[in-house]
C-alpha cells in the first residue's frame, strides 16, 4: 500500500493493519487513543489513531469523524499548519505525518501570527455544524448566535460542572464559586463574534515541526472566543516561548480590554473537562481558577 492507493481506498486501511501488511510503530498519542506511525511501501508515513483494543467501552459514535471535520475546517482557513486528513473512518483516523523538530522563538512568533489569522477566519455561529467531542466526552456544538457569554456558560461550563459533581470530583465547596461565576458571566465583558478556534489548545496539542512551524493537532474545533485558545495555551506550564507567541498574536490582532482578567474564566472550561474525565485530581485547579476568575470579574471590563 502506497500513499496514492491509501488516498483512493481509505476503507482498506483497517484490513491492511489487521493482517500486518503495513509497518506500524507505536508513538505517543495522548491520554485517550492508541497512536502509531504507519510506514507505507513508497516511504511515506502517516499518523494513525485508533480506540484502544482493551478499553472498557467502544469509541463514541462519531468520535473520529468529528475530529476529522474539525481538522479540515481549521485547515481550510489556510493560515496555521494543520495536518491533512488522509483517512477518516468510524474506527480510526490517519493524518499526514509531521516530523517533530525543536521549539524556536521564530516558530513561536510565526505561530502567534498564524493563530490570529485562523481566528480571524471566523465561524458562522458559536458551535459547529458537526457533533463535538473534547477528549472522550461529548461537546454540544449546536450552532448558537450568542452572545458568547451566555453560550459559554450554558454549553461549555455548566455541562462539565454537572458531570464533575455527578462523578464526585467536585464537592459543594468547589461547585459554589463555579456556579457564582456562571451566574455573573455577563460582568466579564469581552463578547465578540465567533472566531474559528481549536478549542482544546493546551500545550500538548502543539506539534513543533522540523519545518520550523507549529502544527495544530487533536482539536475540539468550533466557533468560539479567540481568548479561549490563548488562555488554554497558558495551562500546565505553557508551551516554550509562550511570551513570543502571545506578543506576535497581539501585534497581528490586538486583544480586547480586560483579556488578562478573563484568562481564568476561559481556562475553567478545560479544567472542568479534566475533572469530568479524570476525577478529583484536578479539583484544586478548578477551585483556584474559578476563584481567580471571580476576583477579576470587576476589573475585566476596564483593564486592557
Amino acid at each position: 500500500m502506497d500513499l496514492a492507493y491509501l488516498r483512493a481506498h481509505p476503507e482498506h486501511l483497517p484490513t491492511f493493519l489487521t493482517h500486518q501488511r503495513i509497518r506500524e510503530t507505536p508513538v505517543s498519542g495522548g491520554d485517550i487513543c492508541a497512536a502509531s506511525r504507519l510506514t507505507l511501501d513508497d516511504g511515506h508515513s502517516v499518523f494513525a489513531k485508533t480506540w484502544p483494543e482493551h478499553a472498557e467501552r467502544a469509541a463514541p459514535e462519531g468520535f473520529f469523524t468529528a475530529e476529522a471535520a474539525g481538522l479540515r475546517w481549521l485547515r481550510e482557513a489556510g493560515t496555521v499548519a494543520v495536518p491533512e486528513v488522509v483517512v477518516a473512518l468510524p474506527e480510526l483516523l490517519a493524518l499526514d505525518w509531521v516530523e517533530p523538530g525543536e521549539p524556536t522563538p521564530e516558530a513561536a512568533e510565526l505561530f502567534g501570527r498564524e493563530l490570529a489569522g485562523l481566528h480571524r477566519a471566523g465561524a458562522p455561529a458559536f458551535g459547529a455544524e458537526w457533533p463535538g467531542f473534547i477528549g472522550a466526552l461529548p461537546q454540544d456544538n449546536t450552532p448558537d448566535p450568542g452572545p458568547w457569554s451566555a453560550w459559554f456558560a450554558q454549553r461549555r461550563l455548566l455541562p462539565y460542572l454537572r458531570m464533575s459533581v455527578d462523578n464526585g470530583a467536585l464537592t459543594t465547596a468547589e461547585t459554589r464559586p463555579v456556579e457564582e461565576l456562571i451566574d455573573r458571566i455577563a460582568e466579564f465583558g469581552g463578547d465578540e463574534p465567533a472566531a474559528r478556534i481549536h478549542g482544546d489548545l493546551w500545550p500538548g496539542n502543539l506539534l513543533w515541526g522540523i519545518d520550523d512551524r507549529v502544527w495544530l493537532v487533536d482539536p475540539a474545533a468550533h466557533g468560539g472566543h479567540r481568548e479561549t485558545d490563548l488562555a488554554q495555551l497558558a495551562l500546565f506550564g505553557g508551551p516554550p516561548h509562550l511570551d513570543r507567541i502571545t506578543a506576535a498574536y497581539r501585534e497581528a490582532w490586538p486583544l480586547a480590554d480586560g483579556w488578562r482578567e478573563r484568562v481564568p474564566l476561559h481556562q475553567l472550561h478545560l479544567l472542568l473537562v479534566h475533572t469530568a474525565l479524570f476525577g478529583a485530581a484536578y479539583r484544586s485547579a478548578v477551585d483556584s481558577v474559578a476563584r481567580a476568575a471571580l476576583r477579576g470579574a470587576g476589573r475585566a471590563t476596564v483593564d486592557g
Side-chain angles (χ1 to χ4, degrees):
M1 176 181 279
D2 59 20
L3 186 59
Y5 183 92
L6 181 58
R7 291 185 188 280
H9 305 282
E11 71 279 4
H12 292 177
L13 182 56
T15 301
F16 275 74
L17 289 173
T18 298
H19 294 285
Q20 299 181 340
R21 297 283 301 277
I22 298 176
R23 179 180 165 192
E24 184 175 7
T25 307
V27 296
S28 175
D31 298 317
I32 305 298
C33 292
S36 58
R37 179 176 184 170
L38 308 182
T39 304
L40 307 178
D41 291 340
D42 59 1
H44 282 95
S45 291
V46 297
F47 172 85
K49 295 174 66 171
T50 58
W51 197 257
E53 287 186 22
H54 304 296
E56 294 182 0
R57 59 188 179 90
E61 184 178 356
F63 180 78
F64 290 113
T65 52
E67 182 173 342
L71 286 163
R72 288 169 174 146
W73 189 61
L74 297 178
R75 187 177 169 88
E76 283 171 6
T79 57
V80 70
V82 180
E84 183 180 356
V85 175
V86 179
V87 177
L89 298 174
E91 67 271 33
L92 66 83
L93 181 68
L95 313 175
D96 268 345
W97 178 261
V98 177
E99 192 65 32
E102 293 298 321
T104 67
E106 295 76 17
E109 291 179 4
L110 176 60
F111 173 62
R113 295 190 294 271
E114 291 178 336
L115 185 62
L118 173 69
H119 292 164
R120 277 191 184 275
F126 295 100
E129 297 298 326
W130 55 88
F133 288 90
I134 185 159
L137 297 177
Q139 180 162 268
D140 185 355
N141 275 349
T142 304
D144 190 312
W148 167 78
S149 53
W151 168 84
F152 190 72
Q154 294 301 314
R155 303 288 178 86
R156 293 298 182 261
L157 297 182
L158 191 56
Y160 304 102
L161 174 63
R162 288 171 174 163
M163 292 181 200
S164 301
V165 171
D166 289 346
N167 71 7
L170 299 180
T171 68
T172 302
E174 294 89 33
T175 302
R176 189 177 297 112
V178 179
E179 291 175 333
E180 181 182 350
L181 191 151
I182 289 171
D183 290 340
R184 297 175 56 191
I185 196 165
E187 298 177 23
F188 285 84
D191 279 329
E192 291 186 354
R196 188 172 305 211
I197 72 169
H198 178 283
D200 189 10
L201 200 58
W202 71 286
N205 285 340
L206 300 186
L207 178 56
W208 300 78
I210 200 171
D211 57 355
D212 215 24
R213 293 189 76 187
V214 178
W215 294 71
L216 295 186
V217 296
D218 294 342
H222 61 276
H225 200 303
R226 60 193 180 115
E227 291 177 14
T228 299
D229 272 354
L230 293 168
Q232 290 176 349
L233 269 180
L235 284 168
F236 312 126
H241 312 299
L242 176 60
D243 57 336
R244 305 289 280 268
I245 295 172
T246 304
Y249 184 102
R250 295 182 66 198
E251 183 177 339
W253 190 6
L255 294 165
D257 287 351
W259 70 271
R260 291 183 180 88
E261 281 68 33
R262 286 189 292 271
V263 166
L265 171 64
H266 287 277
Q267 291 177 336
L268 186 57
H269 168 227
L270 196 53
L271 291 173
L272 285 171
V273 169
H274 276 65
T275 50
L277 269 174
F278 305 117
Y282 291 91
R283 174 183 292 167
S284 61
V286 165
D287 188 57
S288 175
V289 164
R291 293 180 186 278
L294 288 170
R295 288 194 298 272
R299 302 190 304 272
T301 58
V302 297
D303 179 22

